[in-house]
Amino acid sequence: MLAQDKILFVDDEPNILATFQRNLHKKFAVEVAPGPKEALEIIRTKGPFAVVVSDLKMPVMDGITLLEKIREVAPDTVRVILSGQGDFDAAIDAVNRGAIFRFLTKPCPPDTLLAMLRDALRQYRLVTAEKELLRGTLLGSVKVLVDVLALVSPEAFGRSERIRTVVGALGKRLNESNLWQLDVASMLCQLGCVGLPEDLLEKVMRDEPLGAEEQQVYGMHPDIGASLISNIPRMAPVAELIAHQLDDYSENTPLGARILRVSLAYDRLDQQGITAREAVDQLIATNTNNAYDPAVLDALKAHITEQIGGEVKLTRLEHVEVGMVLAEDLVNADGTVLLLKGQSISDNALKRLKALPDLLKLKGPFPILAPASAEA
């Protein structure tokens, strides 16, 4: 049963609940709960519900407090008070504390109750439809930007792809509150590089010294990327992370930006061919001026330590799976780099490789990085 069709009635009087079930079960998907505790359990096990209609005066917990708790766990659910108490002050309190959609008094005429339930269901559908539209628009916008980055600047795209796994791992270790925003920020943190000269990007990727003017031009890319992303609704938090990705450590800098800073620095060293442990040790040793958040560096060291001991497995194309990580650049017979070292193989990339193996001139098996715990 879809959530948009489900209504939960809460009342401590069994005969009232029986009346709701008897009169409404042919028109709506009705569930009943004999009290607040049972209601919260039903929402946990059978939710979400489109509408919750609660009595006001109940033992242990009143209806307003119950609907407040429901609002915390199911904010989209439309909440209604149906009470035998014609207390105007209680009605005001219900609206202010529980964001109540309607406050009705008993006995409630059947036509009034039916009209209210239809309005409440309509309200729920409007809210959820708007959220789904925003979600679809947001995901579509992110995909377009990532695809543009991959086409216009493969080097920048490869870097964002390489750091994505590390960023996610550090976010989990440091209990970042919104991992989805952090993941999107890692995917788009190099978006501002699309307008930079190719030779400048190559120098950055090779970690070559930059002149003063080059450093100034390169240092603009976080603000450029953040400005582009901020035009998308609900992306302001992601834009903020991207804007501060090159900032030196400060407690006022968002945690996600500090994670990006360390991950990008680690990737720069990793691309020089040194070992993962050497890269982490070098970052820690050179952090005398606290350019990097020490807590993030500690999390990176713990993450890399867990990864050490992995081995490179040469894996035939038919055995390659989405999510596998390349231990080396994937190069075809002509010497063209198809995928970069450290890149996680995406669904689209794998489909392309399997559909066009001859055209892409793939040679030999894939160098896949397997954790030490993986089966041989």
Side-chain angles (χ1 to χ4, degrees):
M1 181 64 66
L2 296 175
Q4 65 182 16
D5 300 320
K6 296 167 65 176
I7 300 173
L8 175 63
F9 286 92
V10 188
D11 202 300
D12 60 330
E13 297 186 28
N15 60 318
I16 293 179
L17 294 179
T19 300
F20 287 145
Q21 283 186 310
R22 183 173 60 254
N23 295 341
L24 299 173
H25 77 280
K26 291 184 179 180
K27 299 180 178 67
F28 309 104
V30 175
E31 291 276 352
V32 297
K37 180 180 179 181
E38 293 83 357
L40 292 172
E41 179 63 18
I42 289 174
I43 288 173
R44 187 185 69 82
T45 57
K46 297 184 179 181
F49 285 83
V51 184
V52 174
V53 182
S54 176
D55 187 23
L56 178 60
K57 300 293 184 180
M58 294 180 291
V60 182
M61 184 188 302
D62 63 36
I64 299 175
T65 303
L66 169 63
L67 295 183
E68 280 187 284
K69 292 183 177 295
I70 291 174
R71 184 185 184 188
E72 293 174 0
V73 299
D76 293 340
T77 296
V78 178
R79 298 166 295 277
V80 177
I81 285 287
L82 181 60
S83 174
Q85 306 290 327
D87 187 340
F88 183 70
D89 291 336
I92 294 176
D93 194 31
V95 172
N96 290 338
R97 288 173 51 196
I100 307 303
F101 179 71
R102 291 283 194 278
F103 188 103
L104 302 178
T105 57
K106 302 175 186 177
C108 182
D111 290 346
T112 302
L113 180 61
L114 284 173
M116 181 277 296
L117 291 175
R118 292 192 179 105
D119 288 345
L121 288 171
R122 191 177 301 113
Q123 174 70 11
Y124 179 80
R125 289 164 185 158
L126 285 173
V127 170
T128 52
E130 180 183 12
K131 284 193 172 184
E132 186 59 32
L133 178 61
L134 285 171
R135 177 179 175 275
T137 301
L138 186 60
L139 292 177
S141 299
V142 170
K143 184 180 185 305
V144 168
L145 291 174
V146 171
D147 288 347
V148 168
L149 181 63
L151 289 172
V152 177
S153 182
E155 287 280 0
F157 169 74
R159 192 178 197 192
S160 62
E161 277 288 287
R162 290 194 303 272
I163 71 167
R164 189 177 177 188
T165 300
V166 174
V167 168
L170 297 185
K172 291 178 181 177
R173 283 183 178 274
L174 294 166
N175 297 317
E176 166 60 40
S177 58
N178 200 320
L179 291 174
W180 184 87
Q181 290 178 355
L182 181 60
D183 184 48
V184 174
S186 70
M187 294 165 61
L188 298 177
C189 67
Q190 302 298 293
L191 183 63
C193 293
V194 294
L196 299 184
E198 186 175 344
D199 59 341
L200 173 58
L201 275 180
E202 290 176 354
K203 290 183 69 174
V204 171
M205 298 304 171
R206 292 194 298 266
D207 199 28
E208 296 180 5
L210 302 181
E213 184 176 347
E214 290 176 321
Q215 185 62 54
Q216 182 179 11
V217 171
Y218 178 70
M220 294 170 59
H221 89 79
D223 288 335
I224 294 173
S227 178
L228 291 171
I229 293 166
S230 64
N231 292 313
I232 304 174
R234 309 292 178 90
M235 287 283 278
V238 174
E240 184 180 15
L241 300 185
I242 290 173
H244 295 287
Q245 64 181 289
L246 297 182
D247 290 1
D248 285 346
Y249 168 57
S250 165
E251 291 184 357
N252 296 324
T253 303
L255 174 60
R258 287 180 259 155
I259 291 173
L260 287 177
R261 174 87 159 106
V262 168
S263 301
L264 289 166
Y266 168 74
D267 178 72
R268 185 185 70 248
L269 295 174
D270 183 62
Q271 292 304 297
Q272 295 177 15
I274 64 177
T275 68
R277 186 185 291 279
E278 289 172 336
V280 175
D281 289 343
Q282 184 172 327
L283 285 177
I284 294 174
T286 57
N287 194 37
T288 54
N289 295 323
N290 274 349
Y292 311 112
D293 182 347
V296 179
L297 287 178
D298 288 343
L300 176 64
K301 184 173 183 178
H303 169 67
I304 296 303
T305 299
E306 286 186 0
Q307 303 302 309
I308 289 176
E311 59 179 316
V312 178
K313 288 192 173 184
L314 297 179
T315 307
R316 295 177 61 85
L317 178 57
E318 58 265 29
H319 299 305
V320 174
E321 299 177 359
V322 172
M324 286 184 170
V325 178
L326 289 170
E328 303 169 10
D329 289 345
L330 180 66
V331 182
N332 70 3
D334 294 333
T336 301
V337 177
L338 303 176
L339 295 172
L340 296 171
K341 171 187 173 182
Q343 190 167 336
S344 176
I345 298 176
S346 67
D347 182 56
N348 287 336
L350 185 57
K351 287 179 180 177
R352 180 167 172 263
L353 293 171
K354 288 189 174 182
L356 303 170
D358 295 332
L359 182 61
L360 295 175
K361 298 180 180 180
L362 296 177
K363 61 172 187 178
F366 285 44
I368 298 297
L369 182 62
S373 59
E375 295 182 1

